[in-house]
Amino acid sequence: MSDMKKNSAELAALPERAPNRSLLYALGFTREEINRPLIGVVSAYSEIVPGHAHLDKVAKAAADGVRAAGGTPILVPSIGVCDGIAMGHEGMFYSLPSRELIADSVETMAKAHCFDALVLIPNCDKIIPGMLMAAARLNIPSIVVSGGPMLAGRDAGGGGTTLSSLFEAVGAYKAGFMDAPELAYLEENACPGCGSCAGMYTANSMNCLCEAIGMALPGNGTIPAVSAARIRFAKQSGAQIMELLRQNKKPRDILTPGAFENGLALDMALGCSTNSVLHLLAVAHEAGVELDLRTINEVSARTPNLCHLAPAGHHHVQDLNAAGGIPAVMAELDKGDYLNRDQPTVLGTLADHFAGLSGADGDVIRPLENPYGAQGGIAVLWGNIARDGCVVKRSAVADEMLVHSGPARVFDGEDDAIAAIYGGKIEAGDVVVIRYEGPKGGPGMREMLNPTSALAGMRLDKQVALITDGRFSGASRGASIGHVSPEAAAGGEIGLIAEGDVIDIDILGSSINVRLSDEVLADRASKFAPKPAKIASGWLGRYARMVTSANRGAVLE
């Protein structure tokens, strides 16, 4: 171990660090343990997030792997918000901002305690990108070990269910399509246990993308949380961090432009959450890699969509795992030269992740010759109400809504919009506009899962579009267009839309416009005064003052 570059040598060797070492002895460490590489095992374990409830066991397994390979594992905590529990009330204001707190706290713990390397153990939405951002910022050997996906639940008829099924069930109940006992049954059975919710939502999207960008071993995104294979995976990853330390292979050696191209190719093939765009932009920013929405659209235009996992289809992440997982998807993509196969990863090169695999199974993973779509699962649109772009999960949009025009129904916040939807005030053909929910205006860019699920449950998702400067959960489906930039609170043109204005949406043509002349828009802009952020005090007040636009990843300046 002596040939390793060790930050902890500062603690272990210098005589003047005797007081520091005394505190390590107070923790029960032996001299041998102090002299070994100190590996931070950062776990988001808590008793409030189902995706994190078992991470104590995953962290212990990872620590066992570190120790077996010659390192000294040191467990430290991370916060984590459960987006599902936070949804629909003031808690959702804190979700996206928590990503920055997580990145800052991992940086703080690693720097303050001279960690030589990191095993990062997240499992849910903002925790994964927050830890990745910290890894890129710190640039010490790091590996991601997720907690794995939740198994799908079962409805009364034996069909597969996920959290999105329950959100949509509320809309169905409100519209009279479901009775109270049916809703109660789903409430108790949609989420059967620990793990990240079972669809291709943001958590599973990011855990899968960690494999493609090279920061996790094969299986990170799809091995079920309740499987013994997840524990073995954690042990293997803990051991692998010691190999990365020996090689001095750091995140910025891995997170190059080629890595993000690989991540985007997988993103488009899987049909990942639109939040993945927000997070990849933020991680690229920390890694010093130029990435923008036009690059994302270019990758989408040339990459086929091979999977339709819930909410876009009836398959779940456990089905993807049984079909060969992310390595099988990458093997299929490799047949069409969609990947940078020589890109370095925590395993070796990306090609090592899918060596010997045949690719698509023809069901969960379609072959290149028969994709769900010739273009990727995510599309970026531009126009006179989104001059810096906006994002939609194209793979979850019904064919009849790919091109749509309709009158704007304008709401200055999610709460008024959801009340109108539940109150039966939204009609087929409408375009619901929810503004002042962006990074600054929210603040915190709340997810609009309640409105989209209400529309789906009320059987309006194939007739009504929704656009917002906020964002959507990966559980959303339908013509749900988010991340409109610039946001209303920053003076964006979405703030100029009036009730009844006709909105033209062309997802196939990457455009979104309000049917008004430049002169009319300019006249409205001259009289426009953006509303201030809804929360001006505390942490969210600071966040609103510092956060950038969604098209830049909503990072802090």
Side-chain angles (χ1 to χ4, degrees), residues 387 412 435-438 440-442 469 486-497 524-534 544:
R387 51 188 159 88
D412 289 345
R435 58 196 182 190
Y436 294 103
E437 290 289 3
K440 288 183 181 296
D469 52 10
E487 62 176 291
E493 286 80 1
I494 189 174
L496 307 180
I497 300 171
R524 289 187 185 181
S526 69
K527 305 169 184 175
F528 178 53
K531 294 182 178 181
K534 298 182 184 73

Side-chain angles (χ1 to χ4, degrees), residues 22-281:
S22 72
L23 294 170
L24 294 176
Y25 284 122
L27 291 167
F29 289 119
T30 65
R31 183 177 298 276
E32 182 183 34
E33 287 175 310
I34 294 172
N35 287 332
R36 290 176 177 173
L38 302 183
I39 311 300
V41 179
V42 187
S43 169
Y45 166 74
S46 75
E47 294 183 341
I48 190 58
V49 185
H52 296 175
H54 64 305
L55 292 190
D56 54 339
K57 299 175 180 63
V58 176
K60 180 183 182 301
D64 288 345
V66 169
R67 189 173 290 106
T72 297
I74 300 176
L75 183 67
V76 295
S78 167
I79 65 166
V81 170
C82 177
D83 279 14
I85 295 176
M87 196 71 66
H89 57 85
E90 66 177 356
M92 184 47 69
F93 289 118
Y94 289 86
S95 174
L96 182 60
S98 74
R99 186 187 71 182
E100 314 308 311
L101 292 179
I102 291 160
D104 290 349
S105 66
V106 173
E107 175 193 0
T108 299
M109 294 300 286
K111 284 288 191 183
H113 303 104
C114 300
F115 292 155
D116 297 302
L118 294 172
V119 179
L120 302 168
I121 306 179
N123 208 31
C124 289
D125 196 332
K126 309 309 172 301
I127 300 86
I128 306 154
M131 289 188 180
L132 283 171
M133 290 164 67
R137 187 186 302 172
L138 288 162
N139 203 33
I140 60 175
S142 303
I143 194 168
V144 175
V145 183
S146 85
M150 182 186 294
L151 296 178
R154 288 288 178 266
D155 61 24
T161 64
T162 62
L163 182 64
S164 60
S165 306
L166 193 55
F167 274 97
E168 292 180 11
V170 175
Y173 174 75
K174 293 278 188 178
F177 297 131
M178 179 177 288
D179 61 24
E182 288 178 289
L183 182 62
Y185 183 89
L186 271 180
E187 181 179 333
E188 295 184 13
N189 291 280
C191 300
C194 65
S196 48
C197 297
M200 189 48 67
Y201 310 148
T202 307
N204 289 325
S205 294
M206 292 305 301
N207 281 330
C208 290
L209 294 182
C210 283
E211 296 185 42
I213 63 176
M215 289 298 293
L217 293 178
N220 183 72
T222 62
I223 297 172
V226 295
S227 170
R230 176 57 56 181
I231 299 301
R232 295 195 298 271
F233 174 84
K235 290 178 181 177
Q236 292 159 358
S237 298
Q240 188 65 17
I241 193 63
M242 299 305 298
E243 182 58 31
L244 294 172
L245 187 57
R246 291 185 187 93
Q247 297 174 18
N248 196 29
K249 185 183 277 191
K250 302 174 182 176
R252 291 193 188 183
D253 299 324
I254 294 170
L255 295 173
T256 66
F260 287 98
E261 289 174 8
N262 287 337
L264 288 171
L266 180 68
D267 195 324
M268 302 310 163
L270 288 178
C272 289
S273 162
T274 51
N275 282 319
S276 64
V277 171
L278 200 67
H279 298 326
L280 287 175
L281 288 168

Side-chain angles (χ1 to χ4, degrees), residues 324-346:
I326 300 309
V329 180
M330 292 196 294
E332 189 64 26
L333 287 172
D334 185 60
K335 295 175 183 177
D337 295 325
Y338 291 105
L339 300 173
N340 301 299
R341 63 190 338 266
D342 296 325
Q343 178 68 30
T345 72
V346 293

Side-chain angles (χ1 to χ4, degrees), residues 461-500:
D461 57 302
K462 295 181 180 180
Q463 300 170 299
V464 172
L466 194 156
I467 65 173
T468 180
D469 52 10
R471 60 195 177 90
F472 294 105
S473 166
S476 294
R477 60 187 173 99
S480 304
I481 301 164
H483 306 195
V484 171
S485 301
E487 62 176 291
E493 286 80 1
I494 189 174
L496 307 180
I497 300 171
E499 184 82 7

